[in-house]
Amino acid sequence: MRKVALFDTKPYDKEYFDAVNAKQTAPYEMVYFENKLTAQTAQLAKGCEAVCAFVNDDISKEAIETLYGAGVKVLAMRCAGYSNVDFKAAFGKINVVRVPAYSPNGVAEHAMALLQTLNRKIHKAYNRTRDFNFSLVGLTGINLHGKTAGVIGTGKIGQAFIDICRGYGMRVIAYDLYPAKDKGIEYVDMDTLLKESDVISLHCPLTEQTHHILDASAFSKMKKGAFIVNTSRGALIDSEALLEALNAETIRGAGLDVYEEEANLFFEDFSGTVIKDDVLSLLVSKPNVILTSHQAFLTEEALENIAETTIENLNAYFDDQELVNEVCYQCIGGKGKVQCKEEGKKRCF
Ligand code: NAD
């Protein structure tokens, strides 16, 4: 039986992976670790031919070398993003596959849930009515109908969010390096998006270009009273600049599912601990900030898709089939850079 080491696993991961694996004609031996995958924990994968990792694992050059030395051949990311993988170190040694889309609608729905919780102050109303405080003072929101949503990144999740905004009767404008064709999306330059949007929602990946795409300069160009929503990656926003914009009341509120320093915090219970990250503490303390801990993906449908696609990716690898969901050092740049699969190969190397 081939062994797969799954890192950073939670009870819900185990439930769905066990269910999908049990349906396989040749099931894998799943070895579940609660630890994150790091240079220090990589040696736990000894004896496993495959490793399955998630968004906050630290898959550095050192981790890759330890995995390779331990006999690991394939790294199956059970997520879409891969900014935590050192692809240069993996190239030629360990093939990397991912789950490109597990629930774009689920993530987009969570983005709108964050926005409407903030806007209509549902979090405050929930606490008030539990205390039989039925006052409405301070709970005034705005109609989204007729307002402008600015969407940065119009891939799968961005387009699902655009559909939801259109359902609310919003005008949608968007910015993307690679505009989608035939989708009827009104693309504008970044400055126009910042200036005209009542809601700015981030749906682009984290790259060198998008790191701190919302920085102090971007906040200074925004329409006063705009909402910010980030369900993509924390480092798209300069958190200190966000705090300043919140303090200056130039923005109305922020709905965050991700945070740039989330890696050692999110998915764990620190309720009995003094959090030493002052920026996070200040953000969380604000009534107009809603923070969820990278849960936008967390739906039953997504967990099932993640487990199914990950196991299909592993089957393809071990059956010597084409790795349709492979990403590598050469092709991560995507459009414009080398596309390994266009060269007619079954896998990147
Ligand atoms: P996608 O690849 O379908 O779309 C990304 C879009 O961003 C593409 O259209 C691309 O052209 C665009 N883009 C790339 N570089 C850009 C730039 N410099 N400026 C503007 N646009 C740029 O990805 P997706 O499936 O829609 O996912 C978007 C992001 O959502 C992922 O990168 C991931 O970080 C995040 N995500 C978060 C969760 C969660 O639970 N919070 C779950 C899944 C994905």
Side-chain angles (χ1 to χ4, degrees), residues 33-339:
F33 295 109
E34 287 181 19
N35 316 55
K36 288 194 174 56
L37 174 57
T38 63
Q40 289 71 40
T41 61
Q43 60 191 335
L44 291 170
K46 197 168 172 49
C48 297
E49 289 176 81
V51 154
C52 180
F54 197 45
V55 290
N56 286 328
D57 289 307
D58 180 12
I59 310 153
S60 59
K61 181 173 189 275
E62 214 183 333
I64 297 271
E65 277 165 8
T66 305
L67 292 176
Y68 186 60
V72 171
K73 296 171 181 154
V74 55
L75 169 65
M77 299 300 294
R78 56 179 193 280
C79 50
Y82 40 69
S83 50
N84 51 337
V85 180
D86 187 330
F87 278 96
K88 198 170 180 183
F91 193 73
K93 291 181 174 156
I94 296 180
N95 294 82
V96 183
V97 286
R98 66 172 183 141
V99 183
Y102 31 95
S103 183
N105 292 309
V107 179
E109 286 168 19
H110 190 80
M112 183 50 88
L114 285 173
L115 172 61
Q116 281 293 58
T117 305
L118 265 180
N119 173 29
R120 304 308 301 267
K121 303 183 172 63
I122 308 295
H123 53 309
K124 288 185 158 197
Y126 174 77
N127 285 330
R128 278 190 196 183
T129 53
R130 283 166 69 85
D131 202 24
F132 302 102
N133 172 357
F134 302 117
S135 161
L136 298 184
V137 175
L139 299 185
T140 311
I142 58 166
N143 280 6
L144 291 186
H145 189 274
K147 298 293 188 303
T148 299
V151 177
I152 302 176
T154 56
K156 294 173 286 295
I157 298 171
Q159 287 184 30
F161 186 73
I162 288 172
D163 287 345
I164 295 172
C165 291
R166 285 176 173 160
Y168 272 77
M170 300 181 81
R171 171 190 174 222
V172 176
I173 54 177
Y175 170 75
D176 195 306
L177 279 187
Y178 308 97
K181 295 190 181 80
D182 308 326
K183 300 284 179 189
I185 299 171
E186 181 188 344
Y187 285 98
V188 294
D189 59 48
M190 191 64 181
D191 279 4
T192 306
L193 184 141
L194 296 172
K195 199 170 81 186
E196 295 189 4
S197 302
D198 299 290
V199 172
I200 295 175
S201 195
L202 291 161
H203 299 289
C204 58
L206 177 62
T207 63
E208 274 173 29
Q209 278 170 313
T210 61
H211 183 264
H212 287 185
I213 192 167
L214 296 189
D215 58 7
S217 156
F219 284 114
S220 72
K221 293 175 188 163
M222 285 176 198
K223 190 174 190 174
K224 188 170 166 53
F227 285 108
I228 307 297
V229 180
N230 187 7
T231 54
S232 263
R233 284 293 180 267
L236 296 176
I237 298 183
D238 177 342
S239 308
E240 295 197 20
L242 171 64
L243 256 183
E244 278 169 29
L246 286 161
N247 286 340
E249 297 181 29
T250 50
I251 63 166
R252 197 182 287 263
L256 310 172
D257 187 49
V258 285
Y259 171 63
E260 57 182 328
E261 301 299 331
E262 73 178 47
N264 292 321
L265 294 169
F266 281 17
F267 309 134
E268 307 300 332
D269 180 1
F270 289 103
S271 55
T273 313
V274 176
I275 295 295
K276 298 193 178 57
D277 183 328
D278 290 343
V279 174
L280 179 65
S281 303
L282 285 168
L283 284 173
V284 168
S285 73
K286 300 212 174 286
N288 55 346
V289 172
I290 304 271
L291 182 82
T292 51
S293 48
H294 212 131
Q295 76 172 72
F297 76 99
L298 195 66
T299 63
E300 293 175 2
E301 293 82 353
L303 289 171
E304 195 169 345
N305 282 343
I306 287 170
E308 277 174 359
T309 308
T310 301
I311 289 183
E312 280 165 17
N313 285 339
L314 293 175
N315 290 346
Y317 180 85
F318 290 114
D319 294 345
D320 202 25
Q321 300 297 314
E322 184 186 353
L323 297 183
V324 287
N325 294 324
E326 185 174 17
V327 271
C328 83
Y329 178 56
Q330 291 190 110
C331 59
I332 43 171
K335 305 143 194 169
K337 291 204 179 172
V338 178
Q339 288 292 292

